[in-house]
Amino acid sequence: MTAKKEFERLPTSVKPVNYNIRLHPDLEKFTFTGVEVIDVEVKQSSRTLKMNSAEIEVKSATFISSGKTMTSTAITTCDEDETLTVSFDSDMPVGTGQVKLDFTGILNDKLRGFYRSSYTAGDGSLKRIAVTQFESTDARRAFPCWDEPAIKATFDVTLVSPVKTVALSNMPVIKENIEGDLKVTTYDRTPIMSTYLVAFVIGEFDYVEGKDRNGVLIRTYTPVGKKAQGEFSLDVAIKTLPFYNDYFEIPYPLPKLDLIAIPDFSAGAMENWGLVTYRETALLVDPENTSSGTKQWVALVVGHELAHQWFGNLVTMEWWTHLWLNEGFASWVEFLCVDHCFPDWNIWLQYVNMSLKRALQLDALDSSHPIEVPVGHPNEIDEIFDAISYEKGNSIIRMLQNWLGAEPFRKGLALYLKKFQYSNAFTEDLWAALEGSSGQPVNKVMSTWTSQIGFPMITTELVETTDEVRIKVRQQKFCANGDDSSTQSWFVPISVISQSNPDKATCYLLEGKEGEILVEGAKPGDWIKVNPGLIGMYRLNYSDEMLKRLLPAIKNQALGAADRLGIQEDLFALAKAGYNNTANLLTLMGAYVNERNYVVLSSINGNLSELGSLFSHLPCYTQFKAMRRRIFSRILEEVGWEKKETDGHTDSLLRNMLVVTLGKSDDEQVLARCQELFNTHYTGGKQIEADIRGAVYLTVRQDGTDETYRKLMDLFNKTDLHEERERVQRILGTGPNAALRSETLEFAMSESVRSNDTPFVIHGVANAGPEGRDQTWAFVKNKFPVFLERYSGGFLFTRLVQVTSNFTTMDHYKDIEKFFAENKAPSAERAVKQSLESIKLRAAWLERDGESVAQWFTEQGL
């Protein structure tokens, strides 16, 4: 067997300074022609020039220096390395010169590089689009280039397009000429930037516009006829840009900012400098038909991408090993931004469920990876766009900000951005700036969090005297399989509050395996809460006495919502891993009898849902559903079905969650009410409120009838709102009818479903209980070559692999392991390992706790 070729970065003998690029896409033939003249600096004489290029045919190549033109003697490509080598008959001399390339390429249908999309306008006409998605290494599919983040240059872009289209790039238009039925649009020169941030969009769009308080022109582009749906994201952007200007102490450096909704898009959004691209559902808000949950997501995604205009675009990671610098920070500051724009949304409490929990779940696996992981080939890069880079990254940043203090942390960020603007940086550069602003040993502490897999479990024990309270703390690596053999340790910032001093935390840095903390202001007999606000990224294993004292504070809500949430989250994780017993967790739930906070209830419900999927094939699942009805039905009675004038943002989110949960739990009143609402809605009567519409669709689909299925399909076909189409298509396969699930899987592959939505429709079928999981896995295996061709090398391929993660038997484990041993999954190898590990863990959990949980249900009279 031939050894795998070691990845090499591009030679540094020739450096680009400026690209002058002219592209002419053909929206009918799905091809493009291009010409580029690259100003270069030759640092070392050579007869060859090596660049990145993929799926591009270079017709001619010349090098010009000091009035002399050299024509290439050979142009060769390497598909494996995605490189282009141009050879000349003599050396390119040291100094400045120009490389000129003529080339052709394809507008592909893979949602990467320079690709094609389309939508149907209100008048029924088909509108074709050419659009780019270059991160991480796909600029090379649009023009030959040095496609590495540290090889920055400036860009002069010219686009040739049909007269009726809008043609956009990173910078404002400086010239536009009409040539027959074409227009030639030239844009201002960009700042120095990385290739993955260059962007072009050509198509027919409407837009809404405004200016922020500093005069930056901001536009939200929408499909024709939908510009009203751009108003909300425009408003968020107008508020956000000045907020970041102040926070980073650097003005937004471009004269304009465009946000544009793309019908076919693999990720949520992409932060191209000055031209940010989005999925439609991540940018567009219909005032009548968009749910509060979608609106919140739009605000977070806009905040995330705009943060990148500084953190990622202005200062860029030197190599993909440091991706977390981009994504971890943007994933933290998006919450800061949304909290600024919408302070009544309680977004920081929601953060715990949305980010911290995901980080802790994935990073407890043996198949996790450090935040900083060496990467080379593009296939490896794609794999680290996961919850570790995003969620663990932002979780340790949140912990760091709390440890250093908000203002020293902000000042350190500003120092870092000012020092490295228009260049590249390493993680250590950020730590150095934060050390300078805070005086704390940031690098020593944080390197323990970025360089190794996992996080600690802190075990606590009370030590009381007559006049003081201390707690002993001990750390060990938290492992999803309950293993306690690891010798890893971290520098852990720990904070503690007490019943007598709940508003002032005692802060302590645990530097070794064990420590002892004097809890300031605490009195003997107090409850003691470690990690108030769930700021620290660790699990807590309380002594029995400490947990016992906390139970009344949960019930009477003396503890804040985040702390009530955290206690059951930690115990759930401990039980799942085998450090505790699941029956003990279920007993703890009794302390939450008075709970009405949406975020706490959402956490409890999420954990119960995971437990339910574990038992869904067993007789005790009926008792499990009865337990959920007992917990949640009375809360829905209090909240009510219709939105009230006094409702806040999270009340709407709570109502939706309750309807979904009780519908899945066979609550007869909820099933009947949903059917009534759906029938009225379908026949043109009162429309279901947007906030619960998806929940109602999901619930009525549980009846398994062909009639309901056809009605939902009819709603799908009649709407042009992508959010509404998503509501329907993601729940079509969730019912109990095997034939309709099979029809949904075929529907997912049809032209009726956008390629970027297909994996999510398939996931809907996998969520239809044990039978749905088996049916989905059989389908994925059968269609695997199609999926490989369509999605390999992108985010969506990983999403498809993840349909395997909820199985609970070792027979499934062996089948999946065997399949992927015989069918390679490029860019998703780590996802395969994580799914296999999850299956093994679920099987062990069921074997360990299955009987005791079934007995607990019986003892509760369920």
Side-chain angles (χ1 to χ4, degrees), residues 256-276:
K256 66 94 173 174
L257 173 67
D258 294 331
L259 295 74
I260 184 165
I262 304 299
D264 298 285
F265 200 79
S266 64
M270 175 60 207
E271 66 266 20
N272 316 298
W273 217 354
L275 176 54
V276 186

Side-chain angles (χ1 to χ4, degrees), residues 480 572 576 609-617 773 804-810 835-849:
F572 177 81
K576 184 179 176 183
S609 294
E610 187 171 351
L611 190 61
S613 73
L614 190 70
F615 293 106
S616 59
H617 63 296
R773 285 196 290 270
T804 62
S805 62
N806 283 333
F807 284 112
T808 58
T809 71
M810 291 307 296
S835 282
L836 287 170
E837 186 178 355
S838 294
I839 295 166
K840 187 179 288 186
L841 291 169
R842 287 167 63 82
W845 185 16
L846 184 60
E847 182 178 359
R848 187 177 59 244
D849 286 359

Side-chain angles (χ1 to χ4, degrees), residues 375-397:
V375 292
H377 193 275
N379 282 348
E380 298 172 27
I381 297 168
D382 290 332
E383 283 200 84
I384 62 170
F385 281 85
D386 64 4
I388 298 300
S389 294
Y390 284 74
E391 317 308 349
K392 183 179 181 181
N394 76 54
S395 296
I396 69 166
I397 286 171

